Amino acid sequence: MAGHERLDLVRGRQPHLGQLMERLAVLYGDRVAVTEDGWPDGDARRLTFRQAAELVSRGAGAIRSRVDPGQRVLVTAPNGYELFLLVHAAVRAGCVAVPVNPKARPDEIEHMRDDSGAALEVSSLDELVADAPADGASTRAAPATADDVAVLFYTSGTTGRPKGAQLTHRALMAPASAAALVPGIVPRPEVVSGLPVAHIAGFSMLVSTGAGGLPIYLLRRFRPDTALDAIESRRPFMFIGVPAMYRMMWEAGAPERDLRSVRVWASGADAMPFELAQSFQKLGSLVRLPGGRGLGRAAFLDGYGMVEVGGGVALKLLPPGPPLPVKGLLGAPMPRYSLKVVDDAGEPVGRGQVGELMVKGPGVMRGYHGQAAATDETVTPDGWVRTGDLARAHRLGLIEFAGRKKDVVKHGGYSVFPPEVEAVIEQHPAVTECAVVGLTDERKGQVPAAVVVLRPDSGSAPSEEEIIGWARERLADYKVPTRVVFAPGLPRTGTDKVQKAELPALFA
């Protein structure tokens, strides 16, 4: 029976998210699904696939006794596997789950509660199943089709009030197909991750690792030293995080740690700096020889996606082994997804030209909850999503990402793409991070300006003039920031994306 279950996952014949944990219990039984750190008692907790499925089924029974199918259930649990299972329980009960990022501000949570029209709020799986009937473990999944809405994932709110993206069972199960091929090909299969579970990247990651039967060590509260300790002690073959986590681990002494067990570094949820990815490649290894010596570089995978397309849709790869003569990461579409780069009229641009990236595939959202006009602005009638991201078209369908369309600085008729300027300034030995924005200028329309975060161990701090001079030696004149301010850190959303809308105030 287990072979049929895996074949169904590989072929995409499993449309119902509420049945996933039940299927994984059949496939993997008492294999460890997750180990979590960060509990108040200091102990790590483990769940097998069978235990996880039983909790989901009992939770579904408790939810079904309180609300009717089709209603929204707000999930406000702390970050971790508990939140993941509560979402599955709500969906298994026939409801639409609304996961809330624990880092969201109170006013954002209130907005999600009101906007979704949630009929029930759940925050503790233990409390939920405590009142469940004794036969709750046999609660059957409510019927659903692949195109029914399963989860409302709210956007990060970087461009206004968060909007609820309606994701279907088909969209959320898409990552499971390829991952079901994984079992047996990885010698030490554990994955360490710090991705936030309420974000689509973190949720999709847990669907993928679960479908592949990969045990995951989940960092409920990310700290760079804790993450490095986990990699050293548990020797996983893979680490998954966001760029901000990689920066923090580097500053916390990653080069002095033994991270050679890592064969694959992976990132998502935001743009990964190319040089930082290369640096971590060197810390991992392609092969670990007897005696602990590493051979070759690890691979680095940088996923591109967004909540409106159900998670990752493109993959940028730095392959293992010797370094290649490349200057950046090029993305290729993932299976069953199509990408195109278009101009303002919606026509494909020529090779090497910049345009807006559009995406089509199984993960595309049904629409924004209760916002038909915003849906029409984002999703075309034939199912393409306007991402709002800029990209360059390359050969063989590859693309190079150039930043957010709304972040482009229009400087005297020239277009300045912030990621290019940021990458140059971040090469300065005293700089750990940079964010570039446009400031209003009466003559030029806009001028580029940079907010710079310095390394804590950088010694004497560079001046504004030094940073501008550094950029002038490496960039065309119109791309050079006219102003630089230094900050202890950059403002971020609950998913660690930089809130660029807040940066111009730093120049006032």
Side-chain angles (χ1 to χ4, degrees):
M1 182 178 178
H4 292 297
E5 299 286 351
R6 178 173 291 119
L7 192 60
D8 282 347
L9 284 174
V10 171
R11 291 176 174 175
R13 290 179 176 174
Q14 165 53 291
H16 194 334
L17 184 70
Q19 295 173 333
L20 176 61
M21 300 309 297
E22 175 186 359
R23 295 289 183 97
L24 297 185
V26 173
L27 278 172
Y28 306 121
D30 294 324
R31 185 184 301 184
V32 173
V34 63
T35 304
E36 283 188 302
D37 81 338
W39 289 92
D41 56 13
D43 292 334
R45 300 187 184 181
R46 291 184 178 182
L47 278 179
T48 66
F49 285 97
R50 195 183 316 279
Q51 290 170 331
E54 291 173 355
L55 286 170
V56 167
S57 195
R58 292 185 64 195
I63 292 173
R64 188 175 293 171
S65 69
R66 301 182 189 186
V67 293
D68 295 328
Q71 293 187 295
R72 268 76 65 193
V73 176
L74 199 73
V75 180
T76 56
N79 183 53
Y81 208 70
E82 177 182 31
L83 191 153
F84 182 69
L85 296 183
L86 281 169
V87 169
H88 281 268
V91 174
R92 187 174 180 86
C95 299
V96 175
V98 187
V100 173
N101 192 316
K103 291 185 178 180
R105 300 190 309 268
D107 63 302
E108 290 178 322
I109 297 175
E110 190 62 31
H111 166 71
M112 296 177 206
R113 182 182 291 112
D114 294 341
D115 185 72
S116 67
L120 177 67
E121 181 172 335
V122 292
S123 58
S124 169
L125 186 57
D126 289 342
E127 293 178 5
L128 185 66
V129 301
D131 298 328
D135 61 350
S138 61
T139 302
R140 296 178 62 85
T145 70
D147 294 320
D148 287 340
V149 176
V151 182
L152 279 185
F153 273 101
Y154 274 80
T155 60
S156 58
T158 55
T159 58
R161 297 297 295 273
K163 297 186 288 290
Q166 299 172 315
L167 298 186
T168 65
H169 293 275
R170 187 191 310 279
L172 293 165
M173 286 299 300
S177 300
L181 296 169
V182 169
I185 67 173
V186 180
R188 293 183 61 85
E190 190 172 57
V191 176
V192 172
S193 176
L195 289 180
V197 178
H199 185 268
I200 186 61
F203 190 89
S204 297
M205 176 269 297
L206 290 178
V207 171
S208 296
T209 56
L214 299 176
I216 186 161
Y217 187 83
L218 195 59
L219 303 166
R220 296 175 71 243
R221 296 177 181 86
F222 179 83
R223 298 183 194 76
D225 53 344
T226 303
L228 293 170
D229 289 344
I231 296 171
E232 275 195 317
S233 63
R234 304 188 71 84
R235 297 175 56 210
F237 89 99
M238 188 176 192
F239 174 83
I240 308 175
V242 301
M245 294 175 182
Y246 280 96
R247 291 183 192 275
M248 287 189 281
M249 290 195 298
W250 187 266
E251 293 169 6
E256 286 73 52
R257 298 293 198 108
D258 181 4
L259 310 180
R260 290 170 293 178
S261 69
V262 178
R263 307 289 188 268
V264 181
W265 301 98
S267 178
D270 204 356
M272 182 72 191
F274 178 63
E275 289 76 13
L276 187 59
Q278 285 187 312
S279 297
F280 271 90
Q281 274 192 291
K282 298 175 185 176
L283 301 183
S285 63
L286 174 61
V287 178
R288 189 162 184 172
L289 301 175
R293 189 167 64 90
L295 179 65
R297 297 184 174 201
F300 201 105
L301 301 178
D302 186 19
Y304 168 82
M306 54 194 300
V307 65
E308 288 87 347
V309 294
V313 298
L315 199 60
K316 295 168 280 183
L317 169 67
L318 281 174
L324 297 178
V326 295
K327 296 182 179 180
L329 292 167
L330 298 181
M334 296 179 70
R336 298 193 289 162
Y337 283 92
S338 299
L339 310 176
K340 64 180 179 179
V341 183
V342 301
D343 58 23
D344 290 341
E347 296 298 321
V349 302
R351 186 183 303 161
Q353 294 183 319
V354 175
E356 183 177 7
L357 179 65
M358 298 187 71
V359 175
K360 189 175 186 178
V364 170
M365 67 176 180
R366 172 81 65 81
Y368 292 119
H369 177 71
Q371 298 195 42
T375 299
D376 292 341
E377 291 176 1
T378 304
V379 185
T380 67
D382 55 349
W384 287 90
V385 169
R386 300 181 180 94
T387 66
D389 288 324
L390 296 173
R392 286 186 180 88
H394 287 266
R395 296 179 180 179
L396 305 176
L398 299 176
I399 57 173
E400 177 186 358
F401 298 94
R404 292 290 295 171
K405 187 174 182 179
K406 70 178 183 64
D407 291 338
V408 173
V409 181
K410 297 293 186 179
H411 184 199
Y414 293 97
S415 293
V416 179
F417 301 108
E420 179 185 3
V421 183
E422 292 162 357
V424 166
I425 294 177
E426 286 173 357
Q427 291 171 8
H428 190 288
V431 174
T432 185
E433 191 170 15
C434 171
V436 171
V437 293
L439 300 181
T440 302
D441 182 83
E442 291 183 2
R443 285 196 313 117
K444 299 287 189 178
Q446 284 183 310
V447 293
V451 180
V452 172
V453 180
L454 299 177
R455 296 185 183 277
D457 57 351
S458 59
S460 60
S463 65
E464 178 181 12
E465 290 74 19
E466 181 179 338
I467 297 297
I468 291 175
W470 174 275
R472 184 171 289 116
E473 292 175 0
R474 295 163 174 81
L475 293 168
D477 184 65
Y478 69 92
K479 299 178 182 179
V480 176
T482 60
R483 293 189 61 188
V484 173
V485 297
F486 299 95
L490 299 177
R492 298 185 182 277
T493 67
T495 53
D496 284 324
K497 291 183 179 180
V498 176
Q499 291 182 306
K500 287 201 170 183
E502 296 187 12
L503 297 182
L506 298 178
F507 295 89

